Amino acid sequence: MAEEQRQSGGARLAQVDALRGFALLGILMVNITYMASAYHGTGLEDPGLGGPLSEAVRRLVAVLFEAKFFLLFSFLFGYSFTLQIDSAERRGARFTPRFLRRLTGLFMIGVVHAVILFPGDILTLYAALGLILLALRRIRPRTAVRIAVVLLAVTAVGYALLAFAVGHAGEGGTIPVSTASAAAQATEALRGGPASVIGAHLQELPDVAFLLIFFQAPSALAAFLLGLAAGRRRALADADRHQWFLRRLQWAGFTVGLLGGIGYADASLNHPGSAYQLFAMGLDVITAPLLAAAYAATVLRLAHGRRGRTVVTVLAPAGRMSLTNYLGQSLVCALLFTGFGAALVGRVAPAGVAVIALTLFAAQAVAGRWWLLHHTYGPLEWLLRAWTTLSIPPWRLPGGTRAPRP
């Protein structure tokens, strides 16, 4: 019986890893668009990369991926937080110092990542918000859900008020946006040598920090708290018993969530800097979590279906090595699109960028499965665990054994 319970628990954790792997794919689909074009996010079309196909791909990425998958990843951060607490308590270890070291490690890795590879790093934000999560770790699940809902509602109202103010301002009710000349200069800088690339990243960091603090941070913290509540209830471990709820999430997400995504994409691509865009961003704050939840529900239902083993086999290794893969994605994209390597920024159409993203993730899934057959942790997971525990974790697996859970 004990062995059956251990295997069942391992299978359920593998399904969580599969969900994390799926979230990692969605994050790659978004991040690579910013690394492939300095015009992305400005509302301006990258010269030479226009046309109906490019427009269709941009719109699909905006509708289906942007502002959705970082929520799913944030939810899983909060969920895993509860597993780490339980693991520490079972071992009689002091949780707070370990978790603080973990956050410090994430922050330092994130700083290096943002400066050298990709300014849109999320690890530094997670490290900062992790302090709030640590302070709220004892709250009841219902309270965590209420705080999350309030956070999302207040953020959405804030955008609506800002949209109202901009709509009644002068100059046609718009706010300043990046110009074509600025995007062209950024493109040339990113095609230069390492010093030029890092300089371009440093110049972009203030704008990215503003976006992270005022757009992503409230939603990410809300997702943290929802993950905390779900972890306290072990919701993902009992997914079989909640099929009706997962179906409801799919209905809500693939209707209301998609409608919000369509509005967000139209405003971002066609009306940047306008009051309409601000209003659409506020609406997306409410609807994006629904679409993210629908994605999660779909993956979980597939993982429990007839092809569940295939879904888990494909996605779980990438999720087990999410930190290594996240940084690895940025490294490969930097080598492809910046002066660190091929300097293809602004030279690959959106359809080609999407193909590169899918190919890269497929390669990571295969490589991750092979790696975990021979090693206890991913390379960066090993390094972060060593810093967190102030010990030397095992590097390779003994013959014939499976990698233990972190």
Side-chain angles (χ1 to χ4, degrees):
M1 179 64 71
E3 179 66 17
E4 291 176 357
Q5 290 175 345
R6 185 186 64 80
Q7 291 175 353
S8 176
R12 289 164 179 168
L13 286 171
Q15 290 161 9
V16 175
D17 288 330
L19 194 56
R20 187 178 292 107
F22 179 70
L24 194 67
L25 169 61
I27 289 174
L28 172 61
M29 291 294 293
V30 175
N31 287 353
I32 195 173
T33 60
Y34 287 92
M35 301 187 74
S37 172
Y39 288 79
H40 188 76
T42 67
L44 301 171
E45 193 172 85
D46 203 327
L49 300 182
L53 179 59
S54 293
E55 176 65 21
V57 173
R58 288 192 188 98
R59 192 166 295 273
L60 282 174
V61 171
V63 171
L64 300 177
F65 294 92
E66 285 189 15
K68 282 77 179 178
F69 280 86
F70 86 91
L71 293 172
L72 181 53
F73 212 79
S74 300
F75 172 87
L76 292 170
F77 186 95
Y79 190 92
S80 298
F81 175 77
T82 64
L83 302 182
Q84 294 168 29
I85 292 176
D86 290 348
S87 177
E89 290 178 347
R90 286 196 303 269
R91 296 193 307 270
R94 297 178 61 194
F95 174 75
T96 299
R98 289 165 60 103
F99 190 69
L100 288 174
R101 286 194 295 270
R102 182 179 181 85
L103 293 181
T104 303
L106 284 176
F107 185 83
M108 296 306 299
I109 292 172
V111 169
V112 175
H113 178 226
V115 172
I116 298 178
L117 298 179
F118 179 50
D121 169 76
I122 198 71
L123 299 178
T124 50
L125 178 65
Y126 277 18
L129 294 180
L131 296 174
I132 301 177
L133 190 65
L134 181 63
L136 298 177
R137 66 187 183 279
R138 300 301 180 189
I139 64 174
R140 295 181 301 174
R142 183 173 299 180
T143 304
V145 172
R146 287 174 178 171
I147 295 175
V149 171
V150 170
L151 270 174
L152 295 174
V154 169
T155 304
V157 170
Y159 275 108
L161 292 175
L162 186 56
F164 179 81
V166 169
H168 285 75
E171 302 182 0
T174 61
I175 56 179
V177 297
S178 300
T179 64
S181 60
Q185 291 173 4
T187 299
E188 289 305 311
L190 290 170
R191 289 174 180 170
S196 178
V197 174
I198 293 174
H201 290 167
L202 290 173
Q203 187 173 1
E204 191 179 350
L205 279 177
D207 290 337
V208 173
F210 180 86
L211 176 67
L212 289 175
I213 293 170
F214 292 100
F215 180 65
Q216 287 192 322
S219 296
L221 180 56
F224 275 16
L225 293 172
L226 292 174
L228 173 66
R232 290 296 186 198
R233 300 293 188 186
R234 291 295 179 266
L236 300 184
D238 297 326
D240 278 332
R241 298 170 52 190
H242 301 301
Q243 290 294 313
W244 64 273
F245 182 66
L246 296 178
R247 286 192 293 269
R248 289 190 177 186
L249 287 178
Q250 287 176 301
W251 276 105
F254 290 132
T255 53
V256 178
L258 274 178
L259 288 174
I262 291 171
Y264 166 85
D266 178 65
S268 299
L269 296 175
N270 301 326
H271 306 276
S274 67
Y276 170 43
Q277 186 193 23
L278 289 170
F279 179 80
M281 290 174 69
L283 181 63
D284 193 65
V285 168
I286 299 299
T287 59
L290 294 175
L291 186 52
Y295 288 149
T298 301
V299 172
L300 288 173
R301 292 193 67 193
L302 288 173
H304 286 82
R306 289 183 300 175
R307 301 191 180 275
R309 184 181 296 273
T310 300
V311 171
V312 171
T313 299
V314 171
L315 295 175
R320 285 280 305 279
M321 297 174 55
S322 58
L323 181 61
T324 295
N325 286 327
Y326 175 66
L327 274 294
Q329 289 168 359
S330 294
L331 176 60
V332 170
C333 289
L335 292 174
L336 285 174
F337 296 112
T338 75
F340 287 128
L344 294 177
V345 60
R347 292 170 173 156
V348 182
V353 171
V355 170
I356 291 172
L358 294 173
T359 303
L360 173 55
F361 183 79
Q364 287 185 318
V366 173
R369 187 180 181 190
W370 173 84
W371 180 272
L372 291 173
L373 289 175
H374 304 280
H375 299 82
T376 312
Y377 307 102
L380 287 178
E381 285 76 11
W382 183 91
L383 182 64
L384 182 60
R385 185 174 180 85
W387 166 247
T388 300
T389 61
L390 298 180
S391 63
I392 305 298
W395 175 251
R396 295 188 63 88
L397 284 171
T401 63
R402 301 174 67 92
R405 292 292 313 169

